[in-house]
Amino acid sequence: MSLPAPPLAPPRTRPRLLLWGMLVALLGVAQSALVVLTLRYEQARALDRTEDVATAAQGEIRRRTQLVLQGVQGLQAPAGDALAWRRHADELLRSQREIGRLERRDARLRIVEAAETPFLEPLFSRLPRAEMEVETEVACSSARRLMSPSFSRSQFVPLPGGLGIEAVDVCAPLQEAGELVGFTVATLLLPQLLDEVLGAEIGRSHELSFVEGDGTRLARGGAVRGAGVFVAERLVDLPGAPLQLRVDAMERAPSLIPNLATALVLGLSLALSAVVVLLVRDGRRRHAAEEALAESLAFRRAMEDSLLTGLRARDRQGRIVYVNPAFCKMVGYSADELQQAALPPYWPPERVGEYQRRQAERLAAATGAGMPHEGYETVFMRRDGERFPVMIYEAPLVTGTGKQTGWMSAVLDLSAQRRVEELSRQQQERLQATARLASVGEMASLLSHELNQPLSAIASYATGSLNLMDAPPLGGEPDPELLPSLRHALQRITEQAERAGRVIKSVHDFVRRRHQAHEVIAADLLIESVLPLVRLQARKVGVRVEVDVAQPVPRVKVDRTMVEQVLLNLARNGIQAMDGPTPLADRVLTLRAQWVPAAQGRGVRFSVIDTGPGIPADVAQRLFTPFVTTKPEGMGLGLSLCRTVIEQHGGTMDFETLPARPGTPADQPGGTAFHVTLPPLTPPPAPPPGLPAVEPAVEPAAPGLPVR
Ligand code: ADP
C-alpha cells in the first residue's frame, strides 16, 4: 500500500487551544510594546527638537548680545559732541530693537546723554532712573575694574499702565588716551531680545523665556505658551550676569489617538487581530475539512479492503504504486513485495516477453484512447505457481489538474467462473448424451423391426440357396440353372445385408457424432440428415412425412449435430402427439425451412409442424421447463435442451397452436408448429423466397428406409 495513511486519531484540541492562546497573548504584548515604543520615540523626537531650538536660541542670543556690545562700544563719540552721539544712539536704537535706552555717563556715573528706543514708552517715565541705579552701578564698577563691558543683574522696570519690562544694563567703559572718561550704558530689554531671537517658525511652536535659578520667569518671548512637557534650558553666559534660557515647546505629550504613527500602529494591530480571527476561523474550517477527508479516506480504505475485485495502480513507467488486499490475496504476494519487484512476480515466466511488449504498447499510448474499455483477458500466476485466468479493466489515472500519472486496473479472478462454466458445460453434455441415448433407446425397437425385414430376407435367401445346393441333380447331371440361381440369391443376401448395415450405420452415426465445430451447411442437408430416423419413427405410427425447403436453399452456420438433435426431438414430439388422437389419414409431419422476411427480423426458420391435438394450456406455460412431461416414459428434457441449444446459436425457439382442420370442431386445434429461427449467414435473396418444395425435396439419406 502506498497511499498515505489518513489521520484517523481525533485531533488534540487542548494543545491547539493553548497554542492559539499563546499566540494571542504574544500578539497583545507585541502590540502594546509597539505602541509604547512608538510613543517614546515620538517623545524623544519632540525633546530633540526642543533641545535643538534651545541650542539655536542660545547661539542667536550670544550673537545678538555681541552685536549690542559692538554697537555700544561704537558709541565712542568725542566728549561734548552731543549731537553726534545722539545721532549714533538713535541709529543704534532703531537697528537693534532689544536696546531700550542708551546713556552716556561721565566717569562718576552721572548721566550726560540719554536716548530712548522709539518703539516703546520712555523706560523710566514711571520710576525715576535714579531709583534703579544700584544694579547699573555694580555693573559699571565691574566694567571699570575690568575695563571691559559688563552686564548688570536683570531688574524689573515698571512701565505706565501697570505693565513693566525685565531689563539688564550693559555698562561699557569709555576711554580716551588710556584714561577712563565715562561709560556707555545700554538697557537691554529681555522680552525684545527673545522676540528678536525667535524666528517666525520657532515662534509658532516654542516659548522662549529667561528664568532665574529657582525657576522664576524673568521674561518671555513668542506668541505661544509652552506646554511645560518638552523643556530645554541653556545658560547664556553674559559677562557679569549669567542668564538661564528656557525653551518650552507648546507640544504636549503625544497622546494615543491623534498621533499618526500610533494610529498606524493601532490600525495595524487591529488588522492583525482581524487576521488572527480569520486565521482561527480558517483553522476551524480546515480542521472540519480534514475530519471529513479523514472520514472519507477511512471509508474509501474500508471499501477498498472489503472489495473482492483486485485493484492495481501503476505509474507511467509501469511500476506498481498501489494494490489492494484483494489483489494481494489473489496473487499471493504482499503489497511491499509487489511494489519492490522489478518485474511483476505474478507474470508467468513463459509469458514475460509477451506481457512486456503489451505493457510497453499500452504505456506508449499517452492517454487511455488505446485502452480497451471492455477489458481484456489474460493469465496471472499465483505464488504457488498456479496459473489462473483474469479479466483486467484499465483506465488512465488522472489527477485533479488533468495530468495523467499512470493507470488504474480492476482485476477479476476468472478461475471460479471458469470452473462453473466447465461444470455447466459438462452437465449440458451429459444431459444431451442422456437425451440422445434415450432417443436411441426408443429407436432400438424400431431398429429391430427394420432389421427384421432384411434379416428374414437374408435368412430365406440363404435357406433357398442351401436347398438349391442340396437338391439331387436331375438325371445325374448338375442343374445348369443352379449357379445362376445361387448367384442371384447371394446377391440378394449381400443387398439385404448392406441395407441392414446402412440402417445400423445411420443410428450409429447419429449417436456417435460429437464434434461441436460450427460449420456452414445448407438447410436441406440438415433436414436430410435427420430424415431417415424421423421416417423410421413416423412409419411405425403411420405418419406421412413432408419436407418443404425454400429456394434458393438457405444456409446457416451451426453445430450440425446439435441442431439435428433439435430437429429430431421436435419431430419425435410431433409424431408422438399424433399417435392416437389424430385419424390415420390426417397424420402428417411437415419439416420446413424458410427465409424469415426482414420485417420479422431476418433469419432462417426451421418449422416442425404436426397435426396433433395441440399443447394443453397448463403444459404450454411450463413447456420449456426441464422435467415437464405428460408422457409416462418421458423425461421432459427435450424442449428445454432444444431451446438452450438454439439460444447458444444466437437463435430463438417458439411454438404456435394451429387452427382447426376442415371437418373438425372449431375449438379443436389443428396441430402444433415448433419454429426454430437461426441467424442468417447471408441476407435473404430477393424476391422473398418461400416456394414450397414438393416432397421429397431432398433425397432420403438412407435408401433402406423408404417414406411410408
Ligand atoms: P418429453 O418428450 O420427454 O415429455 P419434451 O420436453 O420434449 O419432453 O416435451 C414436454 C411436453 O411437451 C411433452 O410431454 C408434451 O406433453 C408436450 N409436447 C411437446 N411437443 C408437443 C407437440 N408437438 N404436440 C403436443 N404436445 C407436445
Side-chain angles (χ1 to χ4, degrees):
M1 294 285 289
S2 72
L3 284 187
L8 297 176
R12 301 182 314 161
T13 30
R14 195 177 282 177
R16 189 188 291 260
L17 276 179
L18 199 69
L19 274 178
W20 278 115
M22 279 167 67
L23 178 67
V24 169
L26 277 176
L27 270 175
V29 169
Q31 285 171 11
S32 312
L34 212 60
V35 170
V36 169
L37 285 176
T38 310
L39 288 177
R40 285 252 176 95
Y41 172 71
E42 291 288 313
Q43 282 176 348
R45 276 188 54 196
L47 200 59
D48 282 353
R49 276 198 301 275
T50 312
E51 290 284 350
D52 289 350
V53 168
T55 308
Q58 182 190 31
E60 184 62 14
I61 289 170
R62 281 208 186 110
R63 194 179 68 80
R64 290 207 83 93
T65 47
Q66 209 58 44
L67 279 177
V68 169
L69 285 178
Q70 282 169 11
V72 169
Q73 282 172 329
L75 275 178
Q76 300 277 9
D81 191 352
L83 210 61
W85 184 91
R86 182 163 283 278
R87 202 176 57 247
H88 263 125
D90 284 345
E91 258 173 43
L92 192 62
L93 284 168
R94 263 196 301 278
S95 65
Q96 289 183 270
R97 297 169 72 113
E98 61 269 37
I99 305 176
R101 180 184 161 95
L102 285 168
E103 291 170 350
R104 183 175 169 186
R105 299 195 180 205
D106 59 15
R108 296 173 62 190
L109 282 178
R110 283 183 303 230
I111 298 173
V112 182
E113 296 286 345
E116 298 279 344
T117 177
F119 306 109
L120 275 180
E121 297 274 311
L123 273 185
F124 300 102
S125 54
R126 180 124 186 272
L127 203 69
R129 177 66 168 129
E131 288 188 19
M132 299 191 69
E133 280 284 293
V134 185
E135 295 296 336
T136 315
E137 282 168 12
V138 173
C140 283
S141 65
S142 167
R144 185 198 309 264
R145 204 174 51 249
L146 300 171
M147 285 308 269
S148 70
S150 181
F151 285 80
S152 74
R153 283 162 47 98
S154 93
Q155 53 188 341
F156 186 75
V157 182
L159 288 178
L163 296 171
I165 198 160
E166 196 74 24
V168 289
D169 287 337
V170 187
C171 189
L174 282 175
Q175 297 177 58
E176 266 177 29
E179 285 293 314
L180 181 81
V181 290
F183 297 92
T184 305
V185 176
T187 307
L188 204 57
L189 305 174
L190 292 184
Q192 265 67 15
L193 176 63
L194 290 176
D195 283 345
E196 288 302 309
V197 167
L198 278 168
E201 202 180 323
I202 298 176
R204 275 202 295 275
S205 57
H206 290 80
E207 178 188 3
L208 259 59
S209 50
F210 286 116
V211 292
E212 286 187 331
D214 61 356
T216 313
R217 182 190 285 147
L218 300 174
R220 60 171 293 278
V224 297
R225 290 271 168 194
V229 179
F230 302 110
V231 179
E233 295 198 344
R234 294 282 185 284
L235 188 69
V236 183
D237 198 10
L238 301 178
L243 279 173
Q244 190 74 13
L245 172 72
R246 169 187 274 200
V247 178
D248 189 352
M250 65 176 288
E251 209 172 323
R252 293 178 179 282
S255 58
L256 266 184
I257 302 304
N259 189 293
L260 184 67
T262 317
L264 207 67
V265 169
L266 273 180
L268 281 176
S269 307
L270 284 176
L272 211 60
S273 309
V275 168
V276 169
V277 170
L278 286 179
L279 268 176
V280 169
R281 205 186 285 170
D282 183 61
R284 263 202 218 131
R285 266 197 219 130
R286 183 174 298 219
H287 178 60
E290 270 174 12
E291 264 183 2
L293 189 69
E295 219 165 86
S296 79
L297 269 177
F299 175 70
R300 210 187 84 184
R301 200 180 199 187
M303 212 171 68
E304 283 169 5
D305 291 354
S306 64
L307 266 184
L308 294 177
T309 309
L311 292 180
R312 174 190 69 179
R314 290 187 294 178
D315 63 12
R316 299 287 305 263
Q317 281 70 47
R319 281 189 302 266
I320 294 175
V321 290
Y322 165 73
V323 281
N324 74 341
F327 189 88
C328 296
K329 204 171 154 201
M330 198 185 290
V331 294
Y333 291 95
S334 73
D336 286 342
E337 283 174 317
L338 289 171
Q339 283 171 24
Q340 280 154 19
L343 264 185
Y346 50 81
W347 281 3
E350 69 277 9
R351 293 189 177 218
V352 165
E354 178 198 336
Y355 286 8
Q356 272 175 330
R357 257 195 318 282
R358 189 175 63 192
Q359 177 165 309
E361 278 167 21
R362 196 145 300 150
L363 296 174
T367 63
M371 197 60 61
H373 285 294
E374 67 281 4
Y376 60 93
E377 209 181 309
T378 189
V379 175
F380 278 1
M381 183 178 77
R382 293 191 219 280
R383 193 179 202 120
D384 59 8
E386 181 198 342
R387 273 66 166 167
F388 64 104
V390 288
M391 189 76 184
I392 300 183
Y393 298 90
E394 274 197 320
L397 255 182
V398 180
T399 62
T401 54
K403 191 172 163 244
Q404 188 189 336
T405 55
W407 304 95
M408 188 76 206
S409 322
V411 183
L412 291 177
D413 186 347
L414 296 182
S415 31
Q417 187 185 330
R418 281 293 137 79
R419 269 199 296 277
V420 171
E421 277 173 11
E422 177 59 20
L423 214 65
S424 124
R425 195 187 59 76
Q426 284 173 2
Q427 275 174 353
Q428 191 86 12
E429 242 175 33
R430 268 202 293 277
L431 268 179
Q432 281 165 9
T434 312
R436 226 177 355 249
L437 285 175
S439 310
V440 172
E442 258 173 52
M443 275 178 245
S445 62
L446 294 170
L447 271 180
S448 62
H449 176 71
E450 279 306 311
L451 290 178
N452 214 16
Q453 262 191 340
L455 287 178
S456 46
I458 288 169
S460 56
Y461 280 122
T463 314
S465 303
L466 284 175
N467 288 342
L468 277 175
M469 288 194 317
D470 289 346
L474 289 170
E477 286 293 314
D479 186 356
E481 287 298 310
L482 178 63
L483 276 178
S485 301
L486 274 176
R487 178 171 286 115
H488 176 77
L490 286 173
Q491 268 172 355
R492 288 282 169 273
I493 287 172
T494 312
E495 280 169 13
Q496 292 303 321
E498 279 172 357
R499 180 183 163 190
R502 278 196 298 273
V503 170
I504 290 167
K505 188 171 179 292
S506 68
V507 175
H508 182 265
D509 278 357
F510 177 77
V511 176
R512 279 303 159 97
R513 198 158 64 217
R514 299 192 80 123
H515 64 272
Q516 294 201 342
H518 280 45
E519 57 186 291
V520 177
I521 185 165
D524 55 352
L525 274 181
L526 267 179
I527 293 179
E528 200 179 299
S529 318
V530 296
L531 214 50
L533 294 175
V534 172
R535 284 196 168 121
L536 205 61
Q537 298 176 56
R539 207 173 141 164
K540 195 178 166 194
V541 290
V543 170
R544 200 167 73 246
V545 178
E546 288 185 355
V547 175
D548 173 8
V549 179
Q551 292 298 331
V553 179
R555 290 188 308 156
V556 283
K557 187 171 185 187
V558 291
D559 179 340
R560 183 176 173 175
T561 317
M562 302 293 272
V563 176
E564 280 175 7
Q565 173 84 49
V566 169
L567 292 178
L568 205 62
N569 265 347
L570 296 178
R572 187 203 60 184
N573 276 352
I575 292 168
Q576 285 176 349
M578 288 184 282
D579 184 13
T582 312
L584 256 179
D586 293 340
R587 293 181 186 178
V588 182
L589 183 81
T590 309
L591 301 178
R592 182 174 288 162
Q594 278 181 311
W595 289 103
V596 178
Q600 289 170 34
R602 274 186 32 180
V604 178
R605 187 157 82 173
F606 292 87
S607 304
V608 179
I609 306 159
D610 64 58
T611 52
I615 302 174
D618 59 326
V619 180
Q621 278 172 1
R622 302 170 294 133
L623 200 60
F624 295 106
T625 315
F627 308 111
V628 169
T629 180
T630 55
K631 300 166 195 167
E633 76 289 5
M635 283 176 69
L637 277 175
L639 288 178
S640 88
L641 277 174
C642 287
R643 194 161 78 165
T644 310
V645 167
I646 296 305
E647 282 172 356
Q648 277 171 358
H649 281 77
T652 56
M653 183 169 152
D654 54 14
F655 73 95
E656 63 177 314
T657 304
L658 301 174
R661 287 188 306 278
T664 54
D667 58 345
Q668 191 179 316
T672 311
F674 274 88
H675 304 295
V676 165
T677 309
L678 291 168
L681 192 67
T682 50
L691 298 172
V694 185
E695 202 263 350
V698 183
E699 283 301 309
L705 305 173
V707 176
R708 196 197 106 112

